[in-house]
Amino acid sequence: MKSLKDLEAIREKAKQMTGIREGKAQTKIIVGMGTCGIAAGARDTMKVILDELGKRNLTDVTVTQTGCLGLCEQEPIVEVEIPDQPRIIYGKVSAERARQIIANHIVNGNMIGEWVIGRK
Amino acid sequence: MPIYRSHVLVCGGTPCVLKGAKTLKDLLNKELNRYNLADEIRVVETGCLGPCDEGPVIVVYPEGTMYSRLQPSDIPRIVQSHLLKGRILQELVYQAPWSPPSAQEVPLEQEKYLGLQKRVVLRNCGRIDPDSIDEYIANDGYQALGKAVTTLRPDEVIEMVKEAKLLGRGGAGFPTGLKWSFTAKIDADQKYIICNADEGEPGTFKDRLIMEGDPHGIIEGMAIAGYAVGANQGIIYIRGEYALSIERMKRAIEQATAYGLLGERIFGSDFNFTIQVRSGAGAYVCGEETALIESLEGNRGEPRVKPPYPGVAGLWGKPTVVNNVETLANVPPIILNGPEWFRRIGTEKCPGTKVFTMLGDINNQGLIEVPMGITLREIVYGVGGGIPGGKGFKMAQTGGTSGGCLPAEFLDLPMDYDTLAKAGSALGSGAMLIIDDSHCVVDLLKSFMKFFVHESCGRCTPCREGTMRLYEIIQALAEGTATMADFRLLKELSATMQLTALCGLGQSAPNSLLTCMEYFADEFQAHLNGRCPTGTCKNITVKSDAV
Ligand SMILES: Cc1cc2nc3c(=O)[nH]c(=O)nc-3n(C[C@H](O)[C@H](O)[C@H](O)COP(=O)(O)O)c2cc1C
Ligand code: SF4
């Protein structure tokens, strides 16, 4: 390291790794992880979401889980929460759907209407 | 870059490690593997989180939930419930003594959990992996060093530290900027920066936890000090028993060297700086700066006659700045955020924070960092959560065994160097021993004095003889055989030691005794009469002439 610029570069990269502890992330993805969700494949959905976020370097998105929402036949259920927008709940989020939700909704801001099962 | 949806920070501070934190960490990794969660959840070992007697503690992010008093059997439950299904396990959540019992999460800024605390020195402690230089850099690490060597002249750095009014945190509270300016002025072929991490004061373990939790903060502070005074060699003198501190500091030095943050031409400037770790052999007196230097030179650890002060002629006769761990850890934030920022914390004469280790009869033992000037009451009943077992506050000994004892009428005293010195005590290194009203003053003093008998290096007569005689008289008091003449002798001896002992050990040995004699005079009188009010001194014999 020979300059402040070099330090800045390391800092930017390292910050992506520790950002989760700052609580500053704006966008949230919540995956239903009740027994029903897990049975319907929510674990795979989760893995795909993390994989997709990692590939796209989307480090300012928090991913958390929640319990059963009482809509077991719609599992795996994924909620997307973007500040100043209604919370969108997607149903039957397979691995493939999860990838598309990240690409369309999280990255481009276009909700995928046909999979939406609720808003809050 | 892999994305983890959750980070679990396991406290790797010595108190938690002793309570089995390592086992918990291994178990956690095993459970995560079992549920195929290892690539979603990152386990990080971190520095002390504070509530040491509630250990082992872990914090789960992004929620920031702190779990305490964990048993191995709790780990599978946390994994299954919180980490797999997102359900926080309420019954294991840490209850900060100052927040309402319904509190369930550590708010991310940790404000609620910290209560009255303010973290400057401990800013990274418990938030980052101390073995990762990248995590330190992520939290603005090494920015201050970069700023100093590329944009500031050495005298400007010293001016900033002076303006911040940073006082040394190793005990005496000497102004750091002033100390640096003495050494900077001298023209010498070699100068040294020594970080004093000997920490021999009983009940003090803050430097240990700072080193374990944020070793790079100390390295950065030392390098800035080196740049300011014109030194290119640094030495950290760490107490030999602090194996984990030594290991972490060594690793951090290697990482900083690999990044070119130590070594030659730092940030492309002309400034070179290297650091070595040396370990002490556990004599209390070796924390005294000149004894420390003697010990580094391979001699018996005995204090030197001052002057000359180390700043002028220290290690190998060269100008040497000796600073405490906590003092140096304050330097990077001062340089980065400016002296005005620092002066807004704490009191006017004594800005900034102080790290305390709280021990004794107090609900919340452990490591705290509070603004200077906070009152003893706020520390004991606010941050400390009060005294257990419904007992009353008898006194607080501040500044470790060398400090004085303050009774209840001082509860509203602001804690800073100035005020405490006036009350006959000292802020010292930051040990805070809280004592409830079931303890006997004479009995306590017996153990304090015994410590000094043991630790006196024997070089000068007032201390070598004085500590022994003080101990003997206190013992006589405990047995009911002391006379009024003995009692007067205690005062006389103490005064002689304060005036004539060669180093701070002998000079401050009588502090606890003198404050107790003043504030608990009745209890002394009772012992002279052959009675121990708390019933602690069992061997006390009632004198025939006493009523
Ligand atoms: C008996 C004795 C023990 C001491 N032990 C320590 C110690 O363990 N750590 C420390 O930083 N200072 C200790 N000091 C104070 C040092 O002599 C010195 O004042 C201090 O390291 C200066 O650092 P500061 O200006 O940053 O406070 C001790 C002093 C005496 C008299
Ligand atoms: S005061 Fe005590 S410890 Fe200090 S030099 Fe004298 S004998 Fe040694």
Side-chain angles (χ1 to χ4, degrees), chain A residues 67-107:
Chain A
C68 176
L69 290 176
L71 298 161
C72 305
E73 74 289 353
Q74 292 290 344
E75 294 282 359
I77 291 174
V78 171
E79 293 181 45
V80 173
E81 201 182 320
I82 299 176
D84 306 321
Q85 290 181 23
R87 237 198 297 173
I88 302 298
I89 305 173
Y90 290 106
K92 299 192 173 153
V93 184
S94 60
E96 185 41 40
R97 282 187 174 188
R99 281 193 204 281
Q100 293 200 31
I101 289 171
I102 303 278
N104 292 303
H105 193 161
I106 304 286
V107 177

Side-chain angles (χ1 to χ4, degrees), chain B residues 386-398:
Chain B
I387 293 170
K391 294 196 181 131
F393 171 90
K394 178 160 191 162
M395 62 186 190
Q397 187 181 36
T398 59

Side-chain angles (χ1 to χ4, degrees), chain B residues 402-466:
Chain B
S402 317
C405 300
L406 302 172
E409 56 262 43
F410 286 94
L411 272 171
D412 292 307
L413 205 67
M415 296 283 112
D416 61 59
Y417 283 95
D418 231 36
T419 318
L420 281 188
K422 280 186 196 133
S425 185
L427 197 56
S429 53
M432 178 81 72
L433 178 66
I434 310 296
I435 293 162
D436 73 34
D437 54 13
S438 66
H439 295 277
C440 165
V441 161
V442 172
D443 188 59
L444 286 165
L445 285 170
K446 210 166 75 180
S447 64
F448 298 161
M449 292 306 133
K450 195 166 176 187
F451 170 76
F452 289 112
V453 173
H454 185 251
E455 295 293 346
S456 169
C457 81
R459 177 158 184 207
C460 68
T461 317
C463 169
R464 185 183 60 237
E465 287 300 318

Side-chain angles (χ1 to χ4, degrees), chain B residues 9 20 44 47 54 61-62 68 85 187 189 219 243 309 347 365 409 430 437 442-443 446 458 479 482 496 511:
Chain B
L9 274 68
V44 181
E54 292 286 323
Y61 289 99
S68 60
K85 297 184 177 163
D187 200 14
D189 57 343
I219 294 178
Y309 289 90
T347 65
Q365 299 188 351
E409 56 262 43
D437 54 13
V442 172
D443 188 59
K446 210 166 75 180
E479 286 165 4
T496 310
N511 284 350

Side-chain angles (χ1 to χ4, degrees), chain B residues 262-401:
Chain B
L262 287 175
E264 294 193 348
R265 304 188 57 80
I266 293 168
F267 285 106
S269 71
D270 291 334
F271 175 59
N272 307 330
F273 196 73
T274 56
I275 299 181
Q276 1 164 349
V277 174
R278 302 284 290 274
S279 66
Y284 174 52
V285 75
C286 283
E288 195 281 333
E289 52 192 10
T290 57
L292 185 156
I293 289 170
E294 283 291 316
S295 143
L296 279 177
E297 291 182 359
N299 303 327
R300 213 184 136 111
E302 287 183 350
R304 294 176 176 172
V305 177
K306 294 192 258 191
Y309 289 90
V312 176
L315 184 61
W316 309 113
K318 304 292 181 190
T320 303
V321 167
V322 183
N323 272 135
N324 173 256
V325 170
E326 187 186 343
T327 314
L328 290 163
N330 268 298
V331 171
I334 289 176
I335 301 298
L336 197 60
N337 305 321
E340 300 77 25
W341 165 82
F342 190 72
R343 281 208 313 269
R344 279 200 292 274
I345 311 165
T347 65
E348 200 201 321
K349 276 193 181 160
C350 202
T353 60
K354 183 78 195 79
V355 182
F356 289 100
T357 42
M358 219 159 19
L359 286 175
D361 303 317
I362 185 95
N363 276 318
N364 188 44
Q365 299 188 351
L367 186 72
I368 61 165
E369 180 173 0
V370 289
M372 287 277 189
I374 186 173
T375 63
L376 189 54
R377 189 185 302 280
E378 286 171 305
I379 293 187
V380 175
Y381 292 97
V383 189
I387 293 170
K391 294 196 181 131
F393 171 90
K394 178 160 191 162
M395 62 186 190
Q397 187 181 36
T398 59
T401 310

